[in-house]
PDB file of all heavy atoms in Angstrom:
ATOM      1  N   ARG U 131     -56.219 198.245   3.963  1.00  0.00           N
ATOM      2  CA  ARG U 131     -55.700 199.264   4.879  1.00  0.00           C
ATOM      3  C   ARG U 131     -56.594 199.392   6.117  1.00  0.00           C
ATOM      4  O   ARG U 131     -56.087 199.518   7.234  1.00  0.00           O
ATOM      5  CB  ARG U 131     -55.587 200.617   4.172  1.00  0.00           C
ATOM      6  CG  ARG U 131     -54.976 201.696   5.064  1.00  0.00           C
ATOM      7  CD  ARG U 131     -54.736 202.994   4.318  1.00  0.00           C
ATOM      8  NE  ARG U 131     -54.254 204.031   5.209  1.00  0.00           N
ATOM      9  CZ  ARG U 131     -53.007 204.157   5.623  1.00  0.00           C
ATOM     10  NH1 ARG U 131     -52.096 203.305   5.203  1.00  0.00           N
ATOM     11  NH2 ARG U 131     -52.639 205.126   6.431  1.00  0.00           N
ATOM     12  N   VAL U 134     -55.771 196.554   8.403  1.00  0.00           N
ATOM     13  CA  VAL U 134     -54.455 196.736   9.042  1.00  0.00           C
ATOM     14  C   VAL U 134     -54.555 197.733  10.189  1.00  0.00           C
ATOM     15  O   VAL U 134     -54.063 197.480  11.302  1.00  0.00           O
ATOM     16  CB  VAL U 134     -53.410 197.220   8.019  1.00  0.00           C
ATOM     17  CG1 VAL U 134     -52.113 197.587   8.728  1.00  0.00           C
ATOM     18  CG2 VAL U 134     -53.145 196.150   6.993  1.00  0.00           C
ATOM     19  N   LEU U 135     -55.176 198.874   9.950  1.00  0.00           N
ATOM     20  CA  LEU U 135     -55.311 199.890  10.988  1.00  0.00           C
ATOM     21  C   LEU U 135     -56.124 199.378  12.168  1.00  0.00           C
ATOM     22  O   LEU U 135     -55.772 199.592  13.335  1.00  0.00           O
ATOM     23  CB  LEU U 135     -55.972 201.138  10.399  1.00  0.00           C
ATOM     24  CG  LEU U 135     -55.172 201.901   9.336  1.00  0.00           C
ATOM     25  CD1 LEU U 135     -56.018 203.029   8.756  1.00  0.00           C
ATOM     26  CD2 LEU U 135     -53.886 202.455   9.922  1.00  0.00           C
ATOM     27  N   CYS U 198     -46.044 192.449   7.219  1.00  0.00           N
ATOM     28  CA  CYS U 198     -45.734 193.177   6.001  1.00  0.00           C
ATOM     29  C   CYS U 198     -46.752 194.288   5.745  1.00  0.00           C
ATOM     30  O   CYS U 198     -46.391 195.407   5.383  1.00  0.00           O
ATOM     31  CB  CYS U 198     -45.712 192.215   4.814  1.00  0.00           C
ATOM     32  SG  CYS U 198     -45.430 193.037   3.240  1.00  0.00           S
ATOM     33  N   MET U 199     -48.028 193.991   5.957  1.00  0.00           N
ATOM     34  CA  MET U 199     -49.072 194.983   5.716  1.00  0.00           C
ATOM     35  C   MET U 199     -48.940 196.156   6.678  1.00  0.00           C
ATOM     36  O   MET U 199     -49.155 197.314   6.301  1.00  0.00           O
ATOM     37  CB  MET U 199     -50.443 194.330   5.847  1.00  0.00           C
ATOM     38  CG  MET U 199     -50.722 193.290   4.780  1.00  0.00           C
ATOM     39  SD  MET U 199     -50.872 194.009   3.128  1.00  0.00           S
ATOM     40  CE  MET U 199     -52.555 194.591   3.213  1.00  0.00           C
ATOM     41  N   ALA U 200     -48.587 195.872   7.927  1.00  0.00           N
ATOM     42  CA  ALA U 200     -48.419 196.945   8.909  1.00  0.00           C
ATOM     43  C   ALA U 200     -47.264 197.858   8.510  1.00  0.00           C
ATOM     44  O   ALA U 200     -47.380 199.087   8.568  1.00  0.00           O
ATOM     45  CB  ALA U 200     -48.174 196.355  10.297  1.00  0.00           C
ATOM     46  N   ARG U 201     -46.138 197.270   8.094  1.00  0.00           N
ATOM     47  CA  ARG U 201     -44.991 198.081   7.679  1.00  0.00           C
ATOM     48  C   ARG U 201     -45.334 198.918   6.444  1.00  0.00           C
ATOM     49  O   ARG U 201     -44.940 200.084   6.336  1.00  0.00           O
ATOM     50  CB  ARG U 201     -43.787 197.179   7.391  1.00  0.00           C
ATOM     51  CG  ARG U 201     -43.161 196.568   8.638  1.00  0.00           C
ATOM     52  CD  ARG U 201     -41.831 195.904   8.321  1.00  0.00           C
ATOM     53  NE  ARG U 201     -41.993 194.772   7.436  1.00  0.00           N
ATOM     54  CZ  ARG U 201     -42.281 193.534   7.837  1.00  0.00           C
ATOM     55  NH1 ARG U 201     -42.449 193.288   9.132  1.00  0.00           N
ATOM     56  NH2 ARG U 201     -42.407 192.551   6.960  1.00  0.00           N
ATOM     57  N   ALA U 202     -46.080 198.321   5.510  1.00  0.00           N
ATOM     58  CA  ALA U 202     -46.460 199.046   4.299  1.00  0.00           C
ATOM     59  C   ALA U 202     -47.393 200.205   4.625  1.00  0.00           C
ATOM     60  O   ALA U 202     -47.278 201.297   4.060  1.00  0.00           O
ATOM     61  CB  ALA U 202     -47.127 198.089   3.309  1.00  0.00           C
ATOM     62  N   ALA U 203     -48.315 199.971   5.571  1.00  0.00           N
ATOM     63  CA  ALA U 203     -49.253 201.025   5.962  1.00  0.00           C
ATOM     64  C   ALA U 203     -48.514 202.173   6.646  1.00  0.00           C
ATOM     65  O   ALA U 203     -48.793 203.350   6.405  1.00  0.00           O
ATOM     66  CB  ALA U 203     -50.326 200.460   6.880  1.00  0.00           C
ATOM     67  N   VAL U 204     -47.545 201.854   7.499  1.00  0.00           N
ATOM     68  CA  VAL U 204     -46.744 202.874   8.174  1.00  0.00           C
ATOM     69  C   VAL U 204     -45.948 203.681   7.153  1.00  0.00           C
ATOM     70  O   VAL U 204     -45.716 204.885   7.333  1.00  0.00           O
ATOM     71  CB  VAL U 204     -45.794 202.225   9.208  1.00  0.00           C
ATOM     72  CG1 VAL U 204     -44.792 203.245   9.730  1.00  0.00           C
ATOM     73  CG2 VAL U 204     -46.593 201.650  10.374  1.00  0.00           C
ATOM     74  N   SER U 205     -45.554 203.028   6.075  1.00  0.00           N
ATOM     75  CA  SER U 205     -44.803 203.710   5.020  1.00  0.00           C
ATOM     76  C   SER U 205     -45.685 204.643   4.188  1.00  0.00           C
ATOM     77  O   SER U 205     -45.187 205.348   3.308  1.00  0.00           O
ATOM     78  CB  SER U 205     -44.141 202.683   4.098  1.00  0.00           C
ATOM     79  OG  SER U 205     -43.214 201.879   4.817  1.00  0.00           O
ATOM     80  N   GLY U 206     -46.986 204.620   4.467  1.00  0.00           N
ATOM     81  CA  GLY U 206     -47.892 205.505   3.760  1.00  0.00           C
ATOM     82  C   GLY U 206     -48.488 204.907   2.503  1.00  0.00           C
ATOM     83  O   GLY U 206     -49.172 205.596   1.750  1.00  0.00           O
ATOM     84  N   TRP U 207     -48.254 203.618   2.274  1.00  0.00           N
ATOM     85  CA  TRP U 207     -48.797 202.976   1.085  1.00  0.00           C
ATOM     86  C   TRP U 207     -50.288 202.750   1.268  1.00  0.00           C
ATOM     87  O   TRP U 207     -50.784 202.529   2.357  1.00  0.00           O
ATOM     88  CB  TRP U 207     -48.107 201.645   0.828  1.00  0.00           C
ATOM     89  CG  TRP U 207     -46.647 201.782   0.530  1.00  0.00           C
ATOM     90  CD1 TRP U 207     -45.940 202.944   0.460  1.00  0.00           C
ATOM     91  CD2 TRP U 207     -45.704 200.729   0.307  1.00  0.00           C
ATOM     92  NE1 TRP U 207     -44.624 202.689   0.179  1.00  0.00           N
ATOM     93  CE2 TRP U 207     -44.450 201.326   0.083  1.00  0.00           C
ATOM     94  CE3 TRP U 207     -45.805 199.355   0.258  1.00  0.00           C
ATOM     95  CZ2 TRP U 207     -43.310 200.587  -0.179  1.00  0.00           C
ATOM     96  CZ3 TRP U 207     -44.679 198.602   0.003  1.00  0.00           C
ATOM     97  CH2 TRP U 207     -43.431 199.215  -0.218  1.00  0.00           C
ATOM     98  N   LEU U 212     -50.336 198.802  -1.414  1.00  0.00           N
ATOM     99  CA  LEU U 212     -50.388 198.121  -0.118  1.00  0.00           C
ATOM    100  C   LEU U 212     -50.740 196.656  -0.312  1.00  0.00           C
ATOM    101  O   LEU U 212     -50.083 195.761   0.245  1.00  0.00           O
ATOM    102  CB  LEU U 212     -51.428 198.803   0.771  1.00  0.00           C
ATOM    103  CG  LEU U 212     -51.679 198.170   2.156  1.00  0.00           C
ATOM    104  CD1 LEU U 212     -50.495 198.423   3.070  1.00  0.00           C
ATOM    105  CD2 LEU U 212     -52.955 198.728   2.768  1.00  0.00           C
TER     106      LEU U 212
END
Side-chain angles (χ1 to χ4, degrees):
R131 183 174 176 80
V134 172
L135 294 174
C198 177
M199 294 293 279
R201 288 191 295 274
V204 170
S205 298
W207 296 359
L212 177 72

